Amino acid sequence: MNASITDTQSNGREQRTRNRGRFILMALIMLFALPAIIAKVILVQDWYQSGVTNKGELIEPRLTYSDLEISIPSQVEHNWHLGFVLPEHCDTFCQRQLHILKQSHVALGKYQPRVSPVVLVTNSSDKAVDTSGLTTIEVNTELLNKVSTSEYLITDPLGQLVMKYPAINSENELQAQSKDLLSDLRKLLKLSRVG
């Protein structure tokens, strides 16, 4: 009789040990699998907002001045360009945007020698505008397929169009956009070894 009680107790202990082992195994599987399952659900449901810090719109696919057959004046050829695409009619607000372009260049501080403020003009751009202190680059209409008039544009020293900032029409938006432009350009200059 004692042997059967001992066998029963032994079987009970073995069963508890097996159950405990299964529980530990399931807990370990869940510990490692659960984060992957949660991540998959978050990505599939588009709940994740990427950590993009740039304010401008990246220009993709890769496009350069040479791809567009645009020649660059030699005095600004190996610099970063902070550009503005001049519209057909440059009104008072457009003049303000050109002023912001010049001021943004000054605000770059120690990075200023690496950047050239440029005005991108097409055949239909307003030729009566005072662009003193700015380099003018003649562009073709192919550029306007990627960048519209009255938009700011950043290009790297290799002539690649990097980022653009959409055309706006209010003073408040212009102030915010100029801060965004400077922030992005400073980050690019800090990270870049060219130019």
Side-chain angles (χ1 to χ4, degrees):
M1 181 98 173
N2 282 342
S4 73
I5 291 174
T6 306
D7 287 342
T8 305
Q9 289 174 344
S10 176
N11 286 341
R13 269 186 257 140
E14 286 177 18
Q15 185 64 32
R16 282 193 300 269
T17 305
R18 258 191 306 238
N19 287 344
R20 185 169 179 245
R22 287 180 185 152
F23 176 75
I24 291 173
L25 177 63
M26 292 303 291
L28 285 172
I29 290 172
M30 292 303 290
L31 181 69
F32 290 104
L34 194 59
I37 293 167
I38 291 171
K40 178 69 174 170
V41 169
I42 288 172
L43 290 174
V44 167
Q45 297 297 321
D46 286 328
W47 294 338
Y48 175 72
Q49 300 296 318
S50 65
V52 174
T53 60
N54 58 293
K55 310 293 193 270
E57 180 184 332
L58 291 173
I59 298 175
E60 295 178 322
R62 182 181 181 278
L63 187 65
T64 64
Y65 284 139
S66 59
D67 294 339
L68 298 170
E69 298 177 2
I70 296 171
S71 59
I72 306 302
S74 60
Q75 71 266 23
V76 297
E77 187 174 13
H78 300 292
N79 285 4
W80 285 83
H81 294 167
L82 175 56
F84 179 73
V85 184
L86 197 63
E88 287 182 31
H89 303 290
C90 193
D91 58 11
T92 307
F93 187 71
C94 170
Q95 296 281 339
R96 179 85 176 111
Q97 289 175 299
L98 288 171
H99 177 71
I100 292 289
L101 178 67
K102 291 178 187 177
Q103 293 304 312
S104 295
H105 182 248
V106 171
L108 286 171
K110 69 178 183 179
Y111 296 119
Q112 195 174 354
R114 296 175 61 192
V115 180
S116 296
V118 298
V119 178
L120 306 166
V121 295
T122 63
N123 291 336
S124 59
S125 293
D126 191 345
K127 302 291 192 260
V129 176
D130 178 23
T131 58
S132 59
L134 301 168
T135 302
T136 303
I137 298 176
E138 295 279 338
V139 297
N140 51 33
T141 54
E142 286 182 48
L143 179 80
L144 298 179
N145 293 333
K146 286 289 181 183
V147 183
S148 302
T149 58
S150 300
E151 288 187 339
Y152 288 106
L153 172 70
I154 296 175
T155 57
D156 70 13
L158 304 174
Q160 180 176 335
L161 310 181
V162 177
M163 205 174 291
K164 66 180 181 176
Y165 298 81
I168 54 170
N169 55 14
S170 79
E171 187 66 30
N172 289 338
E173 289 176 321
L174 182 59
Q175 294 301 323
Q177 187 179 61
S178 68
K179 288 177 185 175
D180 293 345
L181 181 86
L182 272 172
S183 172
D184 286 347
L185 189 53
R186 281 186 181 123
K187 285 178 196 168
L188 287 168
L189 291 167
K190 186 177 180 181
L191 296 172
S192 172
R193 299 287 180 240
V194 293

